[in-house]
Structure formats: C-alpha cells, structure tokens
Amino acid sequence: SQQGEEDPQALSIQEGENATMNCSYKTSINNLQWYRQNSGRGLVHLILIRSNEREKHSGRLRVTLDTSKKSSSLLITASRAADTASYFCATDAGGSGNTGKLIFGQGTTLQVKP
Amino acid sequence: EAGVTQSPTHLIKTRGQQATLRCSPISGHTSVYWYQQALGLGLQFLLWYDEGEERNRGNFPPRFSGRQFPNYSSELNVNALELEDSALYLCASSLGGVGNQPQHFGDGTRLSIL
C-alpha cells in the first residue's frame, strides 16, 4: 500500500535554482525520512524528521513537516548537476510500537541542467 | 566507516531456481531490513530482522525468506523464482531496538529472472 505521494513526479531546473518536492501521507506517523537514489543504485539517507518537529536543515537541504496537513516538503537550495536523482519520502507505519517498516512514495525525479 | 554492503551486485537466474542475496550491516547496527524495488511497483518492505529474530514481514509469499546471523549479517532467500521477482533488492540497517532511527541502505542486488 502506498502511504506517501510525491509531487511533482518530475522536475527539471537549471543549476543554481532551488528545487522543492512535496510529499503527502495518509496515516499518523512517528517520523518521515527523505532519501535520494541515483539511477539504479541504492538509497542515500538525507534527513529524518520526527512527528514533533516542524523543520530540519542539513547543508543545502531543508525539510518541513506539517502533521495537521499530513505533508512534508524537501527544499534543495542552489542546486547542482550532481543533485540529479530520484527523491523519495518514506514514513514509518505510525501508531504504537516499532514495525521496522518504511512506506515509500513513488518519488520525484529531479533533473538539474548545467 | 563502511556502509551497508550487499552481494552479489547482479544475479541472473531462471524460473524455478533459488536465489540467495547477502547483506552486511553497518558496524554496530543490529537491525537489518530488506526491500524490493520492482518496476512499476516502487519500494516494498519485505522483512525486518533484529538480534537474530524476524520482527516483521511484508506482504510477500512464503517463498521469500531470510535469516540473520550472530554477526548481524543477513541473507534473503527466494525460492521457486518467478519472472515478476525481477527487481532491485535493497538491504538497509539501523540501530536496533528503538524507533525513530534512520535506515541506511546498500547499493542493492539486481536480480534478473530469465
């Protein structure tokens, strides 16, 4: 079952511009994570934001979380060609207990043109 | 610090055969997770192992099984392979026993069924 829905599905920008990707989910969560995947390779963990947090930063990345709207956004500032990849949000199953299961969205494909 | 390592990188099998995929977690991580990324289906949770025990299982048939060894490495076994098992299989690890921990992924094993 799909928990997260990413928007847009694809995004093409010029180097130096900012990129914003959005994620919506359906049920309550304990945390939300963002990952990057370069073509055909593994996932790189970017940021984990807990349900009681509203914003987190890591370098050029900024993640926001709005639990009332069940949505999150990932902002990449001053994009580089090397940021070209697919970006996924993933939520835990929420509720009590730790299920170990992450539920992924379908991802946003970002292309940064040099 | 070495990341999550998976072997082999590629595996080619025919229908009906059995496949074994291996994963070594990050040092100090006791939890290992397996995910399947098939075309058109996205990332799907398969299994979670912690301290040698299976803790949770996704919606996959019993021919998908695995185990975790005393050194916390893990194996995923897929029996009676079917064409639709062709996918990228990703292993992740995290600190075990508590929630809100990021899962760190390896580069995956690409399984092709002929």
Side-chain angles (χ1 to χ4, degrees):
Chain A
S1 61
Q2 243 17 72
Q3 164 80 305
E5 296 285 337
E6 273 119 326
D7 167 56
Q9 289 188 340
L11 183 59
S12 182
I13 59 174
Q14 294 294 134
E15 211 166 23
E17 293 181 338
N18 295 343
T20 300
M21 287 159 266
N22 302 297
C23 168
S24 61
Y25 56 91
K26 297 174 185 172
T27 64
S28 65
I29 61 171
N30 295 312
N31 65 69
L32 184 146
Q33 304 184 46
W34 283 92
Y35 288 88
R36 184 185 77 229
Q37 184 177 37
N38 292 88
S39 179
R41 294 183 61 82
L43 301 175
V44 175
H45 185 265
L46 298 176
I47 287 183
L48 181 152
I49 186 165
R50 300 184 183 201
S51 60
N52 61 354
E53 297 175 312
R54 291 296 165 260
E55 189 171 310
K56 279 189 94 166
H57 296 255
S58 177
R60 294 183 296 113
L61 306 180
R62 173 179 169 249
V63 167
T64 61
L65 179 64
D66 187 335
T67 52
S68 67
K69 294 181 179 178
K70 292 188 170 56
S71 67
S72 174
S73 68
L74 169 67
L75 168 67
I76 304 173
T77 60
S79 63
R80 306 166 181 167
D83 295 328
T84 295
S86 292
Y87 292 81
F88 295 89
C89 68
T91 55
D92 70 331
S96 60
N98 176 18
T99 68
K101 175 181 179 179
L102 290 180
I103 306 170
F104 286 84
Q106 291 289 356
T108 292
T109 300
L110 174 65
Q111 181 185 33
V112 181
K113 299 175 185 175
Chain B
E1 177 186 274
V4 175
T5 58
Q6 292 187 244
S7 64
T9 306
H10 293 94
L11 192 55
I12 299 174
K13 295 284 185 178
T14 57
R15 287 177 61 191
Q17 286 188 314
Q18 185 246 357
T20 299
L21 288 63
R22 296 179 176 84
C23 172
S24 292
I26 291 170
S27 178
H29 287 186
T30 62
S31 276
V32 171
Y33 312 83
W34 288 95
Y35 291 83
Q36 181 197 66
Q37 188 177 29
L39 272 176
L41 294 177
L43 282 143
Q44 303 288 328
F45 169 79
L46 261 167
L47 289 159
W48 171 31
Y49 292 96
D50 184 62
E51 296 287 354
E53 299 286 332
E54 182 181 301
R55 302 295 184 184
N56 196 10
R57 182 182 181 86
N59 189 24
F60 281 84
R63 58 190 186 83
F64 286 84
S65 66
R67 52 181 172 166
Q68 187 179 32
F69 299 99
N71 67 353
Y72 303 113
S73 67
S74 177
E75 251 179 26
L76 175 69
N77 295 292
V78 188
N79 294 321
L81 286 164
E82 300 179 2
L83 293 176
E84 52 264 36
D85 297 333
S86 292
L88 181 66
Y89 289 83
L90 293 163
C91 172
S93 73
S94 75
L95 293 172
V98 292
N100 286 326
Q101 295 294 326
Q103 295 184 17
H104 297 277
F105 285 77
D107 279 340
T109 292
R110 185 161 297 280
L111 177 62
S112 299
I113 312 302
L114 304 179

